[in-house]
Amino acid sequence: MGLIVQKFGGTSVADSQKILRAARKAIRAKQQGNRVVMVVSAMGHNTDMLIALAKEINERPPAREMDMLLSTGEQVSVALMAMAIESLGHRAVSLTGGQIGIRTDSTHTKARILSISTERMHRLLDEGNIVIAAGFQGIDEQFNITTLGRGGSDTTAVALAAVLRADACEIYTDVDGVFTTDPRVVPEARRVDRIGYDEMLELASLGAGVMHNRSIEFAKKYGVSIHVRSSVSDAPGTLIEATPESRDAPVCGAAVTKDEARVTLTGVPDVPGTSHEIFSRIAARHVTVDMIVQNVGAEGRANISFTVPRDELAVTLEAVAAACEPWGHVEVGHDVEVAKVSVVGLGMARQTGVAHTMFGAIADAGINIQMITTSEIKISVLVDRSLAHAALRAVHTRFALDQPPPSLADPNGERHPPSPNAADVVMRLRDAAMEHLAISDVSLDDSQARVTIIGVPDQPGLASRVFRGVAEAGVFVDMIVQSYKGKNGKARLSFTVPRRQIDSALAVTARLQADCGFEALSSSPSVAKLSVSGIGLHSHTGVAIRMFRALAEIGVNVAMISTSEVRVNVVVSAEDGERGLKALQEAFADARL
Ligand code: ADP
Ligand code: ASP
Ligand code: MG
């Protein structure tokens, strides 16, 4: 007899008929001989409605009371689901997060799961019940109700599947599976049969709202394979597991986030430790920072830009003001009319030309790129919010994402077990809190060089021209960072290439200089890239900060940074490589897997 976790999202339980339909699915699984745990979200737009109600009363409602309020949405739907199952002649018991024993930390509205007790669920299952768990909620040490963040019922479902060692984790939703991008925005989007954890994790964090990003971290950490499927049809859906659909496709999906804001600090002191000061103050407010771009400016002053969730802009600006106070005049600008458009793919790390294809698609749509950051498996650009969907469509079309990838992994070939050493990992993590940071590697790559173009005019098409030229010269680009424009209206574009290709890269940029109106070029024939890899990096804002602190303490300046869900990279000068590596190894010793 198997154990199945079935999660139903808000639209799948939006009214009584839909609740009954979900109940029948669970009963069918039970009749097929399985033990069934359901995880249920709040009905329809109930959570949105509760948030709006709270804001009518208090513009910045206390987080603890928000959790008290929002958790009621799920409590309503689990009770109704239990009644539905009962009415269909089967036994069911609904449980809140607290009643199950889902222990979290006390970070209200985005709490992390520390532990889950399985005893009560097992007992109820043994007695022949379908167990119905309220998604998205837990309880802290003082018995305060906490919630896991918007979309967090997915995380509840995968976490329960992990601790119960479920045979299947089914996520029922209002689309047929995971698509190459949001099918409601780009109707030509294609459903993928299978997607790997790392790609799904990036996509989810970059705006693919179909799965909560932390649910994928759980799945990866504990080796849970997830089946995303429609709650209304029996369509095959999408498997999220260790093996992706294709390892060769440069891009497997695209996503857009429209709920971020850009913050730019102009004129911060250009000495080691300033980034640490800024980002640690922001992290203390539990704000997740993305797209960090810093640039050495003139006269010992630097500029730093980054994005944060829009509804956390106010606290971010408070934290920034406090950090900047001792530094005299620092100008702090921000913009909420921005959107981040990203592409993700395992294959891009091994191919030239992916960046230029993306930038070219956006340029041809006449859209200006305000900032660029990349990691090994993603490229993100910041554009004007009103142009975000046009940019997304252009990119989706240019990468032919509506077509199956050129070389599909053999669908009948060897299927990896959920995770190479899942059982081993679970053993090692047994005593740690479930969502704690887990570092798998700290490394140094000293095989690269850096090129920086100073004074890039703020107009569409320039990044596209640079990377087309670089790709045509056969140069392999790794990290790309383009800053937000400075006071002179011009940006700075930096990228790293293999050391042996620096001359070719410089020749291309020199050739473009006059034509594109670049002010100057600078380069470094050898740089050191320091990387920290693991699980839980991005949503633990602390990782980049720990890196900044460890490097600042030994007086090492960070020239470039790129962050992703699985890796944070910083570029420092070549002579600081070995020292930096040692400092980072020490800084992360306690979080090693
Ligand atoms: P649920 O209530 O079931 O949790 P969500 O609204 O959270 O459902 O997630 C499903 C929605 O995610 C879809 O309706 C779709 O609009 C959106 N979405 C965004 N990106 C993707 C994608 N890449 N694939 C599928 N759906 C996506
Ligand atoms: N009800 C919560 C939300 O709307 C959690 C969830 O649906 O996953 O965000
Ligand atoms: Mg959801």
Side-chain angles (χ1 to χ4, degrees), residues 31 54 64 70 147 160 208 254 298 341 346 353 395 429 463 465 474 492 525:
Q31 286 172 333
R64 181 189 181 279
L70 297 191
T147 64
L160 290 184
V341 176
L346 291 178
V395 167
L429 291 170
R465 286 184 70 179
R492 197 172 272 226

Side-chain angles (χ1 to χ4, degrees), residues 420-450:
N421 52 1
D424 193 28
V425 172
V426 172
M427 283 299 289
R428 276 182 283 164
L429 291 170
R430 206 174 36 188
D431 300 326
M434 294 189 80
E435 283 195 82
H436 266 184
L437 180 65
I439 300 298
S440 57
D441 193 32
V442 179
S443 62
L444 163 67
D445 168 2
D446 53 9
S447 67
Q448 299 199 40
R450 174 186 54 81

Side-chain angles (χ1 to χ4, degrees), residues 41-42 47 74 136 150-153:
S41 291
T47 310
E74 271 68 14
F136 164 67
R150 294 306 305 272
S153 297

Side-chain angles (χ1 to χ4, degrees), residues 540-554:
H540 286 82
T541 317
V543 175
I545 294 158
R546 258 206 237 188
M547 292 177 79
F548 283 137
R549 183 176 53 218
L551 295 171
E553 274 169 9
I554 56 165

